[in-house]
Amino acid sequence: MNFEEHAGKSVLSRAGVSVPQGRLCASAQEAEAAARAIGPVVVKAQVPTGKRGKSGGVKLAATPEEAAASAQAILGMEIGGFPVARVLVEEQAAIAREFYAAVLNDPASRSPLVLFSTEGGMDIEEVAATRPESLRRMAVDIRKGFGPADARRLLLGLDLGEAAVPVAAMLVDLYRVYRQHDAELLEINPLALLADGRVVPLDCKLTVDDAALYRQTDIAELGAREPLSALEERGRALDLKYIELEGNVGVLANGAGLTMTTMDVVSHAGGRPSNFLEIGGEAYTKGTEALDLVLSNPGVKSLVVNFCGAFARTDVMAGGVIQAWKTLNPTIPVFFSIHGTGEDEAVRMVREELGIEPYDRMEDAISAAVEAAR
């Protein structure tokens, strides 16, 4: 789950990290009132994505009237596919230097990774590509954590002057917030050294592991839900794990791993999957709903059904799809691959009741589906 800037800063504040004074506003009038209370402000679009500044979603305002005009200009914009419904009106800061700091999940080291750069306020991707030596990295042993000595070691040799102490303390705080909230990413850009010597996060990007939200109930309500398509909304209402994609090969498989493997093979064969939808577990009882969901995407030109059962019985799952096929009577071609517990009976049922011969190899079934969709 992604958190908009105001929500990420709220999480930081709750954890004892000092953040700038600001108010969340939904109208130009609210923004004007906030600026009257705060003084010179920055008006920032609140959407769970980056590049807001480049899109015109961040504006300086010296007066309440300017804040109202800026909010009026930003509200209603669309940034990264997200409509702007609220702005954060935040006090302007007297910035002496800008840094970059982040803690994230790192697949390469299979550990948390703490990042720091003295080149804050810029696209970190550009910094990493053109000046990789300016981006410090430290993989963290989660058994030991990340403490003041680790932070000092990460910053060693950088020209931070008296800012080295508060910057090190901030890195320790960011790692603590990252760990306590099951975050996948906590990114501060810029992390600002102010004229008065304080180090303050002027932006915050926070992403929390969806699978951990059940134990993050105190902040879960602050997160921004991903916008769902009409079909994805339908899938959620049916309690089906459905994600709509832009391809034309429909996918039905049991288990998330097999479904993703099927999608990968579709892509490897030169096709494009139209969806993620797994009907393992109790979802096998919703064969008709699942099939109708996949076929409701008008871009679907063929369908691959891939079942592999261990504890799950493929004959039971195949029976559900067969019944769904007879009920919905679709006209697109379908290609089956069935292996595992009950496969002999499942293959017989598909052959006799649908007149379709399942493929011996998953790759062949998928290749045939990709070809049929062309």
Side-chain angles (χ1 to χ4, degrees), residues 110-128:
R110 299 179 182 178
S111 66
L113 188 68
V114 179
L115 302 178
F116 180 81
S117 174
T118 55
E119 300 191 38
M122 300 178 61
D123 287 337
I124 197 62
E125 295 86 357
E126 179 184 340
V127 172

Side-chain angles (χ1 to χ4, degrees), residues 114 138-141 144-156 168 171-172:
V114 179
M138 180 177 287
V140 179
D141 184 338
K144 299 178 180 178
F146 182 85
D150 301 301
R152 290 193 296 270
R153 190 163 63 254
L154 179 64
L155 302 175
L156 189 65
L171 292 178
V172 173

Side-chain angles (χ1 to χ4, degrees), residues 304-329:
V304 58
V305 178
N306 189 13
F307 289 152
C308 183
F311 296 106
R313 295 193 60 87
T314 59
D315 52 341
V316 174
M317 293 185 288
V321 172
I322 290 168
Q323 183 58 49
W325 199 266
K326 291 179 177 180
T327 300
L328 299 173
N329 195 29

Side-chain angles (χ1 to χ4, degrees), residues 133-147:
E133 71 284 352
S134 68
L135 183 61
R136 296 286 182 90
R137 301 172 171 85
M138 180 177 287
V140 179
D141 184 338
I142 60 173
R143 296 167 298 181
K144 299 178 180 178
F146 182 85

Side-chain angles (χ1 to χ4, degrees), residues 64-326:
E65 292 75 19
E66 287 183 12
S70 296
Q72 187 67 41
I74 293 172
L75 290 167
M77 292 177 62
E78 185 173 291
I79 301 177
F82 296 93
V84 180
R86 300 179 295 181
V87 293
L88 177 62
V89 178
E90 188 173 81
E91 64 177 314
Q92 290 187 21
I95 303 172
R97 292 183 68 180
E98 292 185 341
F99 309 125
Y100 171 91
V103 188
L104 53 88
N105 293 351
D106 179 40
S109 63
R110 299 179 182 178
S111 66
L113 188 68
V114 179
L115 302 178
F116 180 81
S117 174
T118 55
E119 300 191 38
M122 300 178 61
D123 287 337
I124 197 62
E125 295 86 357
E126 179 184 340
V127 172
T130 59
R131 297 176 298 283
E133 71 284 352
S134 68
L135 183 61
R136 296 286 182 90
R137 301 172 171 85
M138 180 177 287
V140 179
D141 184 338
I142 60 173
R143 296 167 298 181
K144 299 178 180 178
F146 182 85
D150 301 301
R152 290 193 296 270
R153 190 163 63 254
L154 179 64
L155 302 175
L156 189 65
L158 294 177
D159 181 21
L160 295 178
E162 294 182 356
V165 173
V167 167
M170 178 62 70
L171 292 178
V172 173
D173 283 341
L174 293 180
Y175 180 79
R176 172 173 55 83
V177 173
Y178 160 90
R179 285 286 290 155
Q180 287 178 349
H181 294 91
D182 295 298
E184 295 178 342
L185 169 68
L186 177 55
E187 181 181 59
I188 310 297
N189 190 22
L191 175 65
L193 170 65
L194 303 187
D196 61 10
R198 290 182 297 141
V199 174
V200 177
L202 295 189
D203 196 2
C204 179
K205 183 176 183 181
L206 174 65
T207 304
V208 172
D209 185 351
D210 288 341
L213 289 177
Y214 74 95
R215 61 186 183 193
Q216 297 295 341
T217 53
D218 57 330
I219 66 166
E221 74 279 0
L222 299 174
R225 297 285 180 183
E226 291 290 332
L228 301 179
S229 70
L231 289 179
E232 288 170 338
E233 289 281 10
R234 218 168 104 189
R236 174 174 287 184
L238 292 167
D239 200 25
L240 291 171
K241 298 179 179 68
Y242 175 88
I243 300 173
E244 185 175 354
L245 304 173
E246 296 181 352
N248 56 10
V249 179
V251 175
L252 274 181
N254 65 295
L258 182 63
T259 304
M260 294 181 69
T261 298
T262 305
M263 294 165 63
D264 286 344
V265 178
V266 169
S267 299
H268 182 72
R272 294 177 302 129
S274 72
N275 64 276
F276 171 98
L277 176 58
E278 67 100 351
I279 56 171
E282 291 300 314
Y284 80 89
T285 62
K286 301 176 181 177
T288 300
E289 294 90 338
L291 181 60
D292 188 43
L293 191 59
V294 172
L295 299 181
S296 292
N297 182 339
V300 173
K301 305 302 180 186
S302 69
L303 175 69
V304 58
V305 178
N306 189 13
F307 289 152
C308 183
F311 296 106
R313 295 193 60 87
T314 59
D315 52 341
V316 174
M317 293 185 288
V321 172
I322 290 168
Q323 183 58 49
W325 199 266
K326 291 179 177 180

